[in-house]
Amino acid sequence: MKLYPIETGNFRLDGGAMFGVVPRVLWQKTNPADENNQIEMAMRCLLVETNGKLILIDTGLGDKQSDKFFSHYNLYGDDTLMKSLLKYGFTKEDITDIFLTHLHFDHVGGAVEWNSDKTKLQPTFPNAKYWTNADHWEWATKPNPREKASFLKENILPLQESGQLHFIDFKGEKMLTNTEFGFDILRVDGHTNGQMLPVINYKGKTVVYMADFLPTSGHVPLPYVMGYDTRPLITITEKEEFLKIAADNNYYLFLEHDAYYDMCTVSNTIKGVRLNETLKFEDVFGE
């Protein structure tokens, strides 16, 4: 197995929305805001090369939306999904599987693109299977008012129409061992129903792709929960249980949205689980 961090670009979101009820005077210590109260955010995906497969976890924002849409998120930086794949010698035709942690636009936007003459939307990766789960698909295609602006039909429906959409079946379990992917999958339901987190054994370490369960290293304390979460009390319960396990077992938490660090670790303290180290991927794995 080999892992490749895939940087797809950066954007900015309101810091208050990203930290919910936590006041700015606290969260700005780790996530400083600009004059518009926006904090810097990454859209960091992960490519897993294993057993003859190339599995891309999440796809970033993509580039098919209107200028008006993008203007709300103050995109910055030169990274793109395709440039990052090419950096490692891969093209979109090489990808065999797209694992979507959930279907919010900043995680699935790059999964769909315009065709050459911009007359039709099509899956970006022509040879890939696209993976979600039935519960989350139902949640996304019949969205509640809270998440309606995050589940965009143009990012989702073309996957079904192409016949490339596939469902992972948890069979009522929270943790699933998936031999097809070569990693385990943890289901969490506080942010959105049926979010999926890959749990990967890599070079003797456990790497967990955190998606929106822990968007940045600044979100480790239990009350630091996004205003975007549909069920924040469930998020807190899930976080408390997970972070205790992560601290006890020295998990490496791969951060999708942290603008400064690829990963972090956590540790047990007298005040509970706290941030231990912030890390770059290459510093841990020498790649």
Side-chain angles (χ1 to χ4, degrees):
M1 178 184 285
K2 191 167 178 59
L3 301 183
Y4 308 89
I6 302 294
E7 302 287 348
T8 74
N10 295 73
F11 68 129
R12 294 179 174 89
L13 284 179
D14 183 84
M18 283 301 298
F19 286 92
V21 299
V22 178
R24 175 173 173 167
V25 69
L26 295 179
W27 56 253
Q28 70 178 357
K29 295 175 183 177
T30 55
N31 297 76
D34 63 15
E35 65 278 6
N36 295 315
N37 204 47
Q38 292 187 321
I39 63 172
E40 296 184 352
M41 303 272 287
M43 290 177 284
R44 184 176 299 110
C45 305
L46 187 64
L47 185 64
V48 182
E49 184 177 19
T50 183
N51 298 327
K53 291 180 176 288
L54 276 175
I55 306 164
L56 179 62
I57 303 171
D58 281 355
T59 64
L61 190 60
D63 59 8
K64 66 181 177 300
Q65 305 294 341
S66 67
D67 290 342
K68 181 179 179 181
F69 177 89
F70 288 129
S71 71
H72 298 311
Y73 302 104
N74 297 313
L75 305 184
Y76 68 98
D78 298 322
D79 292 318
T80 69
L81 175 55
M82 294 307 158
K83 282 170 60 176
S84 292
L85 289 175
L86 193 59
K87 170 185 173 182
Y88 298 113
F90 302 118
T91 68
K92 63 182 182 179
E93 288 79 15
D94 297 324
I95 305 301
T96 62
D97 297 87
I98 304 294
F99 182 99
L100 298 166
T101 61
H102 61 299
L103 298 172
H104 286 168
F105 64 80
D106 54 319
H107 298 258
V108 70
V112 172
E113 65 179 4
W114 286 107
N115 64 3
S116 58
D117 57 5
K118 290 196 171 183
T119 58
K120 184 181 179 182
L121 291 169
Q122 63 187 19
T124 304
F125 301 91
N127 303 317
K129 295 178 180 179
Y130 286 77
W131 296 93
T132 182
N133 62 78
D135 287 347
H136 187 63
W137 180 261
E138 179 80 4
W139 190 268
T141 53
K142 298 176 182 176
N144 59 74
R146 181 82 173 271
E147 289 181 282
K148 189 173 183 180
S150 294
F151 292 127
L152 306 180
K153 292 181 179 179
E154 60 267 31
N155 286 336
I156 299 171
L157 297 184
L159 306 180
Q160 184 180 55
E161 293 163 358
S162 71
Q164 292 171 248
L165 180 67
H166 297 265
F167 292 145
I168 294 166
D169 186 0
F170 279 85
K171 295 181 170 58
E173 300 294 326
K174 281 288 188 178
M175 178 71 87
L176 179 69
T177 298
N178 191 301
T179 55
E180 182 165 0
F181 298 136
F183 53 75
D184 294 340
I185 306 166
L186 174 65
R187 172 175 171 159
V188 288
D189 295 298
H191 176 61
T192 188
N193 197 48
Q195 183 178 201
M196 303 188 296
L197 309 181
V199 180
I200 305 167
N201 189 336
Y202 185 55
K203 295 189 174 182
K205 297 177 172 63
T206 299
V207 178
V208 186
Y209 188 92
M210 298 306 295
D212 278 347
F213 187 44
L214 193 80
T216 78
S217 60
H219 285 85
V220 170
L222 289 183
Y224 288 49
V225 172
M226 290 190 291
Y228 299 110
D229 284 19
T230 58
R231 294 177 288 211
L233 293 180
I234 290 178
T235 297
I236 289 173
T237 299
E238 291 173 335
K239 274 179 67 177
E240 185 173 27
E241 180 179 350
F242 172 83
L243 289 176
K244 181 68 166 62
I245 295 170
D248 289 344
N249 294 279
N250 196 32
Y251 286 179
Y252 287 79
L253 310 182
F254 189 92
L255 304 168
E256 185 160 9
H257 286 312
D258 195 300
Y260 311 108
Y261 300 101
D262 301 352
M263 297 193 299
C264 71
T265 61
V266 293
S267 60
N268 293 304
T269 75
I270 59 173
K271 294 183 178 181
V273 176
R274 292 293 185 267
L275 180 67
N276 181 32
E277 288 185 287
T278 49
L279 304 154
K280 290 289 188 178
F281 185 88
E282 60 267 22
D283 293 337
V284 178
F285 295 109
E287 300 173 0

